[in-house]
Amino acid sequence: DNITPTIIAVWYGPAAVGFVNVAQNISSRPMEISTIVSRITFPTYSRIQGDKVRLKRWIEKSIHLMSVVYFPAIIGLIVTAKPILEFLYANKSDKWLPALPTLLWFLVAAVPVVITTTYTNAIYATGHPKIVLSLMALYTAMTWGIGLPMIRYFGYVGIAMTVCLITYTTFPLVLYALKKVVVVDTFGMVIRPFIASILMGVLVFIVEQSFVHGLLSLVAAILFGLVAYSGMLYVLGGKYLKAELGGL
């Protein structure tokens, strides 16, 4: 399903491939959280698949605790994407700024990935690999079916737009597929960290627009965002989070 090194290279050259690869690399960093956690949750889901009540509780715990870390990372990257390209990937230059629109589309597409990855992992662990295979086949077919015209019409940013479109189009399918296995409270598990992350993103964006002029000030803005997020998460759901951690 990787169009980048083939179609984009042929149509737009190696520089476009470089911009897309940088954008994919940055946007995929927070996803490593779910990759690491899935190594633990997969055997857990598999062992308790016969106990639907316990399975529901553990899936909800997984999605909630990962959301606490994942959402601020994604939202933080969205609001600091430009200075990251300017000051982290380059020394106060616009060398990598052509990758910015592609990066933003990839990051927006990545917002629900912590949910879809966790749920796909649960579906697979509970003995339904055919459902996962069907979803993967659909992703691949849509990538090529939608991706080719999008890339041709919008340029190399079209691949990120395609990923975003596919992610949100297939998101309800993943929720429906998990519902056939076990019913979980997705909204209740992610709403607190998501709202806290959005509020943090607004504050960091304001700070970034006014005070970020180099790598050190960018780091300071990120640290400010972490403190702000921690405070808002504590206000919105501190007691709930403590209960979840205490029940592990």
Side-chain angles (χ1 to χ4, degrees):
D1 66 350
N2 194 352
I3 289 180
T4 301
T6 51
I7 301 302
I8 292 178
V10 171
W11 285 350
Y12 299 105
V17 175
F19 294 136
V20 172
N21 284 340
V22 165
Q24 285 180 320
N25 181 269
I26 296 173
S27 63
S28 65
R29 291 302 179 187
M31 299 178 198
E32 294 176 5
I33 298 169
S34 58
T35 301
I36 295 171
V37 173
S38 66
R39 296 173 186 171
I40 302 171
T41 57
F42 182 89
T44 302
Y45 297 156
S46 183
R47 284 196 302 268
I48 64 175
Q49 61 181 289
D51 187 343
K52 297 300 182 182
V53 174
R54 193 178 177 196
L55 179 62
K56 166 185 166 67
R57 186 168 66 250
W58 271 97
I59 293 175
E60 289 179 346
K61 280 179 179 288
S62 300
I63 199 66
H64 177 250
L65 294 176
M66 280 193 289
S67 296
V68 167
V69 180
Y70 183 85
F71 282 141
I74 285 292
I75 301 301
L77 283 174
I78 290 174
V79 298
T80 60
K82 186 173 183 290
I84 284 175
L85 292 175
E86 286 180 310
F87 306 131
L88 184 60
Y89 278 73
N91 185 18
K92 297 184 179 181
S93 78
D94 59 357
K95 175 182 178 180
W96 290 105
L97 284 186
L100 181 59
T102 307
L103 173 57
L104 291 174
W105 277 105
F106 275 135
L107 288 170
V108 172
V111 171
V113 166
V114 69
I115 301 173
T116 56
T117 301
T118 302
Y119 288 1
T120 301
N121 186 42
I123 294 168
Y124 196 58
T126 53
H128 299 84
K130 290 183 179 180
I131 296 177
V132 179
L133 179 61
S134 298
L135 289 171
M136 295 302 107
L138 178 61
Y139 294 157
T140 303
M142 292 181 70
T143 298
W144 284 90
I146 300 174
L148 292 180
M150 291 286 282
I151 294 169
R152 195 61 176 171
Y153 186 80
F154 293 103
Y156 60 85
V157 70
I159 184 59
M161 298 169 69
T162 299
V163 171
C164 191
L165 179 62
I166 292 173
T167 298
Y168 288 97
T169 301
T170 57
F171 182 63
L173 298 179
V174 178
L175 297 182
Y176 177 74
L178 181 70
K179 188 176 181 180
K180 295 176 69 174
V181 178
V182 61
V183 178
V184 300
D185 180 16
T186 303
F187 181 81
M189 294 300 104
V190 303
I191 187 61
R192 296 178 184 87
F194 183 73
I195 291 176
S197 298
I198 293 295
L199 294 175
M200 175 213 69
V202 173
L203 291 177
V204 172
F205 180 77
I206 294 172
V207 171
E208 180 243 309
Q209 292 293 305
S210 304
F211 301 105
V212 174
H213 304 291
L215 185 57
L216 289 178
S217 54
L218 173 60
V219 172
I222 292 172
L223 293 176
F224 166 77
L226 289 174
V227 173
Y229 172 73
S230 300
M232 285 180 281
L233 184 63
Y234 181 80
V235 171
L236 291 173
K239 293 181 179 180
Y240 184 82
L241 183 59
K242 285 181 180 179
E244 286 292 292
L245 292 172
L248 290 177

